[in-house]
Amino acid sequence: IESQHNAQYQAAKRLLQKKYRKEERLYLVDGFKLVRDALRFDRSVKTVFCCEKTKAAAEALPLGKDCDC
């Protein structure tokens, strides 16, 4: 994502507000450990945002080769 006008970025930004989290029935988690915990406890992960530096670590995860980050 290279622009603040990106639709995925905008959708994620909306989730910072409780109103939209309730409406969408989604929430944000920030950080590798929280994403790992969500997966560990069988929570559905819709989208993962990461920087290039983190991409290698994400690809090392069990589902990493299917990750489009």
Side-chain angles (χ1 to χ4, degrees), residues 9 18 27 30-32 35-36 42 46 52 54 62-63:
Y9 173 82
K18 183 178 181 178
Y27 56 93
D30 183 16
F32 179 80
V35 172
R36 181 194 63 203
D42 294 324
K46 183 175 179 179
E52 288 295 323
T54 308
L63 301 175

Side-chain angles (χ1 to χ4, degrees), residues 2 8 12-13 18 22 24 32 44-45 47 51-52 56 60:
E2 296 181 13
Q8 285 184 313
K13 187 176 175 183
K18 183 178 181 178
K22 288 182 90 174
E24 299 291 331
F32 179 80
S44 175
V45 174
T47 306
C51 63
E52 288 295 323

Side-chain angles (χ1 to χ4, degrees), residues 15-59:
L15 295 177
L16 294 172
Q17 297 178 43
K18 183 178 181 178
K19 169 184 169 180
Y20 295 114
R21 289 192 302 269
K22 288 182 90 174
E23 184 179 297
E24 299 291 331
R25 299 185 59 136
L26 297 171
Y27 56 93
L28 292 172
V29 295
D30 183 16
F32 179 80
K33 289 180 182 180
L34 291 176
V35 172
R36 181 194 63 203
D37 290 347
L39 292 170
R40 181 181 293 156
F41 292 105
D42 294 324
R43 298 293 182 233
S44 175
V45 174
K46 183 175 179 179
T47 306
V48 174
F49 298 96
C50 65
C51 63
E52 288 295 323
K53 186 175 183 180
T54 308
K55 187 175 181 180
E59 289 172 343

